[in-house]
Amino acid sequence: MSGPDLHIDISGEDRPSRRIVLGAGRVGTALARASGVAVIDRFRGWYQLDEPAGDPIAVCVRNDDLGALLAAVPPHRRADLVFLQNGMLDPWLEDHGLEGNTRGLLFFAVSQRGGPVEPGGVNRFTGPHANAMVLWLESLGLRSEAIGRRAFAAVMLEKLIWNSAFGLLCERYQVDVRAVLDDHSDELAALARELGTVGRVALGIDLDQDTLLANLRAYASSIPRTRAGLKEWPWRGGWFIAAAHRRELALPTHAALVAALPHPPA
């Protein structure tokens, strides 16, 4: 990636005096290993949000919990929320007036809470706290960069396709991502074409098909033991189905794989 919209310089002045993690799951626990980080879980630590605004609050909860979490965050701290969730968050953020908040795309895997972090690529951030988040993750040895909104949208779509395609194939064949690369490459390529077409039309994002497939494979190769799944279906595969239906686009490979599941998602 290149261009004036894509890279933002960072400096020591962006280092926050206090950082907060909302959520103590796998990702939240991993981020909390950095120094100067406070953790808020379901039952503890909410008083820490009474502090003055200005420092990043990494949101590490499930997508379906975002509404309840937002209701518990004081209004003066909502602009500090940094959304790290996978999936299509744009409509939800717009509905809640949070479209200008910092967003992050994490390219690492944590197999279990408290387990080691398995780097899988460069983490990307955009928005007011992007530089602070880069410093935070790089203090943990995780390569990161701050980018513009336009570049972020393209990477967001690419990762959404990765999660949706590998999640469906891993679930259908009960394998990890390495086995998908080795044994189901044709279906992966077909899914990349179908989902890429829907994403390009729905979001107005230009993704080169060959580059997309190469990037999907490269990320999978960096975390080969990961077994993706059909988590948060309405925010991932379900979004593609709805977007394709509205635009009268076909998803034959995707539809066939979903239909072959023992318990297709609703």
Side-chain angles (χ1 to χ4, degrees), residues 18-203:
R18 184 167 181 80
R19 301 174 286 202
I20 293 175
V21 170
L22 281 175
R26 291 179 299 168
V27 172
T29 300
L31 295 183
R33 294 172 187 166
S35 61
V37 176
V39 179
I40 298 174
D41 63 20
R42 190 182 300 271
F43 305 107
R44 296 181 296 273
W46 290 92
Y47 69 90
Q48 296 169 102
L49 296 181
D50 295 333
E51 295 293 321
D55 297 327
I57 302 170
V59 179
C60 302
V61 302
R62 298 178 188 277
N63 294 32
D64 289 340
D65 294 331
L66 286 172
L69 178 142
L70 182 62
V73 173
H76 78 286
R77 298 307 308 272
R78 290 178 182 174
D80 287 330
L81 296 175
V82 177
F83 294 95
L84 306 175
Q85 287 68 28
N86 290 317
M88 177 49 67
L89 293 186
D90 291 10
W92 186 89
L93 292 172
E94 291 168 5
D95 288 345
H96 293 84
L98 301 169
E99 62 270 26
N101 276 53
T102 305
R103 299 276 303 277
L105 293 167
L106 304 182
F107 288 89
F108 62 80
V110 185
S111 61
Q112 60 185 5
R113 182 179 175 184
V117 176
E118 187 176 2
V122 180
N123 305 286
R124 273 76 168 228
F125 297 94
T126 193
H129 288 309
N131 293 343
M133 294 303 301
V134 168
L135 292 170
W136 184 343
L137 268 73
E138 289 194 337
S139 75
L140 294 169
L142 299 169
R143 290 187 301 149
S144 305
E145 67 176 354
I147 61 177
R149 291 280 181 182
R150 182 169 49 122
F152 185 89
V155 181
M156 180 274 294
L157 175 57
E158 187 176 284
K159 192 176 184 192
L160 178 60
I161 293 171
W162 192 98
N163 282 311
S164 300
F166 278 92
L168 182 53
L169 289 167
C170 288
E171 188 72 20
R172 168 65 180 88
Y173 295 110
Q174 296 294 294
V175 295
D176 60 21
V177 298
R178 167 52 65 189
V180 170
L181 292 175
D182 291 343
D183 302 327
H184 306 285
S185 59
D186 290 343
E187 286 169 300
L188 174 62
L191 284 176
R193 284 194 300 272
E194 293 176 9
L195 301 182
T197 297
V198 173
R200 280 190 290 270
V201 173
L203 302 177

